[in-house]
Amino acid sequence: MRKAAFFAFLVVLFLLPADGSAATPSEPSRKQRIAALPEEERKWLTEFVEPIILPDEEKLFLELTQPHHREMFKKEFWERREREGLAAPLGPGYRQRYEHLRDVAATQYDGLTSDAGRLVVRRGEPAAVDTLETCDGVLKQVEVWTYRSSVGRPTQHVFYRPGYGAQRKLWSPGLGDAALIQPAACVISLQELCLPPGVAASGAANPGDSPCSQPGVGTKRCGEAGCRFARIAEEIRSRHGDTIAELAQLSKPPAVSTEGLDLLRQRLASVPNSDAKPLEVSNSGIVPAANVQTAPAVPAAPPAAPAKELSKKERLAAMPEDDRKWLTEYVAPIIQPEEEALYLQLTEPHQRETFKEAFWARREKATYQPPLGPGYRHRYEELRRLADEKYDGWRNDAGRMVVRWGEPASIE
């Protein structure tokens, strides 16, 4: 029962519209309103300003039908973000600065859809980036990004690369310490980076059989830099607990006041108010209801049939190839039915990336028995390789057993 409730919550989290409301049957849906926009306006909304527009602003923009009203909206949109006294990167000149941030996100921070690029577009470039090169061999390629504020302490975020040269990923405590530690390192938690020199690390599950148990190994923890990094990670944990709430930074627009938005709504004659006719959907698109009523009378068309629920096959066909293979091949042996059902409903790349991070984090908890537990996502890759090379392939009985349970301790 708890599992069903948990996945129901995830469905709401991923699929509820940004403003928290669902369209009523009598109103055009968000998708229909977007489809009715001219292409240039649609790209402005769904691509150019998508990272920074607020739900109330998007809602108003989608209600506008006249080009000059949309231009008025855009003018005030940038003016709200260029007022004096706003925290960086907002403030005077933000319109041009935003274009620059999109450029550097695309060219220097792994692209506009990556974790690093999305944070840069929303928060600006970090004031400082510490790459912790002295921790190579203990930590993965990690970076500490520092954002300074005119008031209060600086805010720090941790990025890591899952593999050498891979795109940066924003770390959240809910992903576990193992996401940041090299699989071969002699530590299993970040707290161990602060142990005094000479104190043995806990290392692997069977320390007596591990190189980590050898004398002197306890000193190889990258020194003060490693301990300082552990404190930063603990500070992030103090903000959010052991959750993935840190990842919300990637989808959170910069905070600006929407005061005056209602006044703008009143000034724009094409925006429906409480006394005006709502927009309706006709065969030719979205039109004001008043126009529908004054059209020549024609026999009423039968009500449109409700949209058919997409089948699993149709949802899979609509996915990008990499995401489809991840679901149907790579994690097929271990994904739960409820997880698969939720994944098939996700439509945005960042939603699927957030799902994957949570997918592995659920399996990397320290209390789980092998092959689960810290470092499982990397162990799973190795088990897949062994299943294909030594155990008849992952689709056969032996291979599937190895992928799910690990290699046997012995074979007679």
Side-chain angles (χ1 to χ4, degrees):
M1 186 70 180
R2 290 181 178 177
K3 181 187 286 188
F6 171 73
F7 281 102
F9 167 75
L10 286 182
V11 170
V12 173
L13 174 66
F14 281 114
L15 301 180
L16 193 67
D19 62 358
S21 62
T24 61
S26 61
E27 295 179 349
S29 67
R30 176 178 180 271
K31 184 177 180 180
Q32 289 171 320
R33 291 184 185 275
I34 290 175
L37 289 173
E39 182 179 6
E40 184 177 346
E41 306 287 15
R42 185 164 60 247
K43 286 185 175 180
W44 184 85
L45 177 67
T46 62
E47 296 180 19
F48 187 64
V49 299
E50 183 274 333
I52 60 172
I53 194 167
L54 298 173
D56 287 345
E57 292 176 314
E58 183 192 75
K59 184 176 184 295
L60 173 55
F61 187 80
L62 288 174
E63 293 174 342
L64 306 179
T65 59
Q66 300 299 319
H68 65 281
H69 290 155
R70 295 192 193 104
E71 290 306 312
M72 291 173 62
F73 174 94
K74 292 177 185 178
K75 180 175 180 294
E76 295 208 10
F77 175 87
W78 294 116
E79 286 178 353
R80 274 193 294 279
R81 288 158 173 80
E82 292 191 323
R83 292 170 183 165
E84 296 279 357
L86 294 178
L90 302 174
Y94 176 67
R95 185 172 188 171
Q96 288 73 34
R97 193 154 52 249
Y98 177 69
E99 292 185 13
H100 171 72
L101 291 175
R102 285 181 59 90
D103 288 341
V104 297
T107 57
Q108 299 179 35
Y109 293 96
D110 305 330
L112 289 166
T113 59
S114 70
D115 285 6
R118 289 162 64 197
L119 192 62
V120 165
V121 166
R122 289 172 169 86
R123 296 283 310 273
E125 290 192 88
V129 176
D130 185 359
T131 57
L132 276 81
E133 295 177 358
T134 58
C135 289
D136 288 350
V138 178
L139 298 173
K140 295 180 182 177
Q141 291 178 285
V142 296
E143 297 178 357
V144 177
W145 288 22
T146 300
Y147 284 91
R148 296 194 173 92
S149 172
S150 57
V151 293
R153 297 173 55 188
T155 302
Q156 293 179 304
H157 305 283
V158 169
F159 282 90
Y160 69 99
R161 298 181 190 269
Y164 185 79
Q167 287 188 352
R168 302 169 182 88
K169 289 289 190 183
L170 182 64
W171 179 76
S172 198
L175 302 179
D177 291 2
L180 303 175
I181 299 172
Q182 290 284 9
C186 291
V187 292
I188 61 172
S189 73
L190 295 176
Q191 292 179 338
E192 292 184 11
L193 297 177
C194 290
L195 289 177
V199 177
S202 55
N206 298 308
D209 300 329
S210 168
C212 298
S213 63
Q214 303 306 313
V217 170
T219 63
K220 299 177 182 178
R221 298 198 188 95
C222 63
E224 178 58 29
C227 186
R228 187 169 62 251
F229 177 78
R231 294 192 190 104
I232 292 170
E234 190 59 30
E235 195 278 329
I236 295 174
R237 183 174 277 109
S238 72
R239 297 201 301 255
H240 305 300
D242 287 319
T243 69
I244 58 172
E246 179 79 354
L247 302 181
Q249 301 289 332
L250 302 177
S251 303
K252 187 177 179 181
V256 294
S257 171
T258 56
E259 183 180 358
L261 202 62
D262 288 338
L263 294 176
L264 176 62
R265 183 189 299 270
Q266 294 171 14
R267 295 207 319 266
L268 301 177
S270 65
V271 178
N273 54 40
S274 58
D275 299 321
K277 299 293 184 181
L279 295 178
E280 292 187 358
V281 182
S282 73
N283 292 336
S284 59
I286 299 176
V287 295
N291 293 346
V292 175
Q293 292 177 354
T294 56
V298 293
K308 180 185 176 183
E309 181 72 17
L310 294 177
S311 66
K312 176 181 176 181
K313 183 177 180 180
E314 290 170 327
R315 292 185 184 278
L316 287 171
M319 276 187 188
E321 184 177 5
D322 287 348
D323 288 329
R324 184 167 59 250
K325 286 185 175 180
W326 185 85
L327 177 66
T328 61
E329 297 182 19
Y330 187 62
V331 299
I334 60 171
I335 195 167
Q336 300 293 321
E338 298 93 338
E339 292 175 313
E340 182 188 70
L342 172 57
Y343 187 79
L344 286 170
Q345 294 180 62
L346 306 181
T347 58
E348 299 297 329
H350 69 272
Q351 291 175 336
R352 288 192 280 265
E353 287 305 310
T354 300
F355 175 95
K356 291 175 185 177
E357 291 295 335
F359 175 89
W360 293 116
R362 280 194 295 277
R363 290 159 171 79
E364 291 190 323
K365 294 179 180 178
T367 56
Y368 285 172
Q369 295 294 317
L372 300 175
Y376 175 65
R377 73 182 72 189
H378 310 291
R379 199 151 49 246
Y380 180 71
E381 289 183 17
E382 178 64 12
L383 291 175
R384 292 264 315 186
R385 184 185 66 78
L386 290 171
D388 288 337
E389 294 179 0
K390 295 175 56 179
Y391 297 96
D392 308 329
W394 72 269
R395 295 179 187 275
N396 291 302
D397 289 358
R400 289 161 60 196
M401 181 72 81
V402 166
V403 166
R404 288 180 168 87
W405 294 95
E407 282 197 280
S410 63
I411 299 178
E412 287 191 24

